[in-house]
Structure formats: structure tokens, C-alpha cells
Amino acid sequence: MSELEPIIPNIEVTDPRSALFRTAGFAMFVIDPADAKILVANPAGERLFGLSGDAPVASLETYLSIPKSELLNILHRAAEVGVLEIRDRHAPIGDSHRELEFHGGLVQWDGKQCLLSTAFDLSQIHGPNGWSEGTSFDPLTFLPNKDLFSDRLEQTLARARRTNEQFAVLILGLDRFKQLNETHGHTTGDELLKLFAERLRGFVRETDTVARLGGDEFVVLVTALQDVAHSAILAQKILRSLADPFEILGVDMRITVSIGIALYHPELTAPGDYLERSDAALSVAKQEGRNTYRFHTETLDDLFRTEVAIGTDLHHALDDEELTIQYQPQIDLRTNRVVGLEALARWSHHRRGQVTPSEFIGVAERTNLIVPLGIWVLRQACLQARIWLDQGLLPDVMAINLSPLQFKDQQLVADVRGALGESGVPPERIELEITESVVMESMGGYHATLARLRSDGIRFAIDDFGTGYSSLKYLRSFPADKLKVAQEFVSGVPEDRNDTAIVRATIDLAKDMEMTVIAEGAETAAQVEFLRALRCDQVQGYYFSQPLDPDQATAFLKERK
Ligand code: C2E
Ligand code: MG
Ligand code: MG
């Protein structure tokens, strides 16, 4: 052994004290083949191995997935032949597993035969596209890493401050992943992380971000939330999806996750605040039995405080004329004609700017303000319908949303009759949109109310069909004129198989029951074409038009006449 020369003969270069050693951008270190101790590492090596100070004492075995005995054998042989070569695809570095490659040869260090080796982190070199992705991506799952996630969160925060766009941060922790890793080994564990990452990515839109924080923790940033409750719906979807096992090497593996959610709050301006909050919520979800989600509780307090403020202001909004209505066209897919308009309430708050219905309808319901608000919309929409009727522009129906709470109000029938009488619009030109919960109640308390409005000639549509819990039995007991397929499902058409199946079944159901069926929220030509092929009658969505204010709607109606 002793007659072997160092493999790189230029001692000045290979001397660990040389300039190359100190300044190289890649990791170099000297290791004792007898016990695998790292005797010295250059600055890049210290960074890779997370060593600090001038006397790093660490064993190479800590950074490799191979057992110590095997490593000692390799080092032994390397010292004999003068060449070291190791490649480890699952080297546990920091919180993740990396693909490391070592190349080295013999040197003298403190009078001893040692190995001088370089270490390359190949996972940083091959990104998802096979070339360098810097350090923005997690090498195992190719998801964005924490740094890239923080960047995206920062951008979202900046936008939210300008536009008051709502977003949510969901941290997901795989339940008992450590145990699984220990029982089934790292290869299985890594494979599971990859498959989980893939499944997770399937749940979010292009504009959302899924990232891996490290270890068994993932994070999702959901932007442009129409309703903060959608973050809970997403969490439920993810939890439910894990009922399907992952197949790894022919074996079915099951795993559950716990999820912590933090919502946008105007006073929290650092990305770290959101990670902290969702992480705290994740701990609660884990404590409370895992396989569940929790919101950060202060987030809920904040929400409540905003609610109280919104509720107070909503009282004045009606008097101060801050409420308006926009109208969204409904298009017949066979004739391409405008066959309806849906009245959608809008609130321009004197300080907050535009407040969306998803923010204030819920508050209005909880504070019972929905009753006067609903009457206002009803009257206003009827008056507008009258204007269009006189101009010969009114399509078949003017659709108006009714909250379930309005049915609790004894005055509803009188209010509807009042609005019709005042405007002189024939009842069959008004379509009231009700929810599945109202349909269910139609067996009980609301039956008389619905029956009276129906016998007046008013039409009914069931809004957001499929998102409630109605059974077909109830649907049969209350024959509505129209079914509105919820946007939640339409948005998945045609790519998502489940959503497509639901949309198809809803259309068939409506046909069977001789109801008109309309798809809400169609945004793309592909969606519209697909809906047409499924013989869906009508579409309402951004593809044809956003909700329009009365002047814009007038122009739209004239153009499409
Ligand atoms: P909705 O009745 O299901 O109304 C459809 C919602 O989907 C509207 O949101 C509309 O702007 C939106 N939308 C339409 N097409 C598209 C599309 O292609 N893409 C996307 N992303 N969204 C689309 P909006 O106006 O924010 O209203 C939200 C909900 O608030 C309504 O859902 C309705 O439940 C409630 N709401 C609105 N106005 C009233 C009202 O006067 N009274 C009551 N009780 N509820 C109302
Ligand atoms: Mg509606
Ligand atoms: Mg709807």
C-alpha cells in the first residue's frame, strides 16, 4: 500500500492547504479510511455537510445511506487501489435526500495515508428538466423548495395588499412518515413522497404553488380564493383522495396527512408569518388525532372581527347606495342566444373598495341582514328587467339568488309579489335561484312558500347543484325548472375524470327530469365545446361574459340580438 503514489501527482494542487482546496466552488474533504472520519473540509464541503468552525469532526457515514460497515469496506479498498468512487442516490443531507457523487485519491495528511475526495451534489445539477435548476427545486420531487415558495408567497402577499385578493397557505405533514421510513426503508419512503407530490399537484390550479418544505412536509399556496371556505374544501379533497393507496413496487401503501391552514390577513406582511401560523395549525391537527385539517385559530378570530366590521357597515351600505348589481348573461348552446341574465350583488365599500359577495353574503346571512339585502336585490333586478322589457331586450328570464334564510321570513311571498307588482314584470320572466338545502326543506317548512310562488308562475333554478347534500328523492318532490351545475365541477372539465363524470351525470339527470341544465363558470372554449357535446343546454361563464353593469349589459344584449 505504501508504495502507491497519490493519484494526482502535483502535490501543490492536492495539498489540502492549497489555494485550490480553499477556493474551489465544489466540496473537497480529507477522510481517514480507517474510521471514515472527515478530517478537514473546504468551505464548499462545510456548506454541503453543514459543518461549522475550523475543527469539523464528523463521520462520512452520517451523510450516506449505506451502512457503516459497507462504507469502511469501500474506503479500505480505495486506500488499497488509490481510487475512491462512491455514488449515493439517497444521501441524507439536511432535511432531504440528495444524489451525491464522490471522486478521490490518496494523499498524505499529518503523516497518515488518507483520501482526498471531491463531492458533487448531482441533484442540484439535474433539475426536473435535466439541467441546473439552481437551488429552487426539491431534488426528489422536483417541486419548488422552501425558498422558491417564499418568493411566490411574497408576490402573492404584495398582490393581496393591492387588491385584497384572498389566499390560503396549507401545510401538510405526512402522518407517521418516520415510522414508515424505518419499517419499509428509504427507497420506499422516497417513492411515496414522489407519488404523494404528484397527486397533490393534481389538486391545484396552474396558478397555485405546491412546494416541499423538506422531510415529510409539503405546502400549498392557494391564490385568488373566491371564498375562504374553499381552502377547507381543498383540504377535505386531499384527505379524501388518500383513501386510494399508492402502489410502490407492486405493493399498496396507504398514508394519511394532517393539514394546517392560515388565511391572508392584511396585517401579516412576512411570508414567515403564514408558515408559522399554518405550522401551528398543523400541530393542532396532529394533536387532535391526525388525518384532519385545522385553521389557525387567530385567523378565525380575525375573520370574526372583520365580519363584525362588515356587518356594521352593511347596515349603512343599503342606505348609502354602496350596493349595486351586475348581470351575467346565460347563453343557449344550440342557438347561441342570450336566454337569461343572473343578477349578482356588488358592494363598493367607501374604504375597503370592492367587497365580493363571498365575503359579505355569508356575513349578511349570519347577521340576518340578508333579508333586507335580498329584498333590495329583488326589487332592483325587477326594475332593471322592466327597463329591458320595454326596450325589447329582456331575455327569457332574469335570475335572482335567494338565500335559504329568506325562506324563514314570513314576508317572502309578499315581497316577491310586491317587486313584481311594482315593476310590472310578468312572473314567468323571473327565475329564483335556490340552494339544495331549500329543496330539502321543501318537504317540510318551506313547502307552502315554494308552492305559492310557483303557482304565481315564477320559475325556479337549483344553484350550485352537486355541492349540497340533496338526495334525488327531494329533487323529485320539488320540480325546479333548471339545474345549475356548480362551477366547482365545470372547472375540471374535460381533464378531471371525476368532475367530468359528475357533470355528465347531472346533465343526464336534468334531461330525465325534463329540466333545463346550465353549466356555471365555463371559462374556456374547450369547456364549452365539451359541454355542447354532452348536450348541456346553456352556459354561464367568463368564456361568454363576465358579470356586467347595466350599461354594459345593455350593449351586450343589443349586440347579441
Ligand atoms: P352563484 O349564484 O353561483 O353565482 C355565480 C358566481 O360565479 C358569481 O360570483 C359569478 O361572478 C361567478 N362566475 C361566473 N362565471 C364565472 C367564471 O367563468 N369563472 C369564475 N371563476 N367565476 C365565475 P359572485 O358574483 O362573486 O357571487 C358569488 C355568490 O354569491 C353567488 O354564487 C351567490 O351564491 C351569492 N350571491 C351573489 N349575489 C347574491 C344576491 O343578491 N343574493 C344572494 N342570496 N346571494 C348572492
Ligand atoms: Mg346563483
Ligand atoms: Mg352558482
Side-chain angles (χ1 to χ4, degrees), residues 342-344 399-402 433-434 463-464 484 520 540:
E342 178 176 3
L344 294 161
I400 299 166
N401 292 283
L402 279 192
E433 295 197 357
I434 58 174
D463 205 353
D464 301 331
K484 301 193 78 177
E520 296 187 86
Q540 175 183 346

Side-chain angles (χ1 to χ4, degrees), residues 5-67:
E5 288 292 314
I7 55 157
I8 311 169
N10 185 342
I11 192 71
E12 274 163 41
V13 173
T14 56
D15 185 337
R17 279 153 295 222
S18 74
L20 172 66
F21 185 85
R22 277 184 281 110
T23 57
F26 50 84
M28 294 172 87
F29 59 95
V30 176
I31 182 171
D32 186 344
D35 57 8
K37 277 235 162 57
I38 298 173
L39 302 174
V40 63
N42 72 346
E46 288 178 357
R47 275 198 301 280
L48 177 67
F49 297 130
L51 303 171
S52 62
D54 32 25
V57 184
S59 175
L60 185 61
E61 125 213 24
T62 339
Y63 307 103
L64 294 174
S65 66
I66 47 180

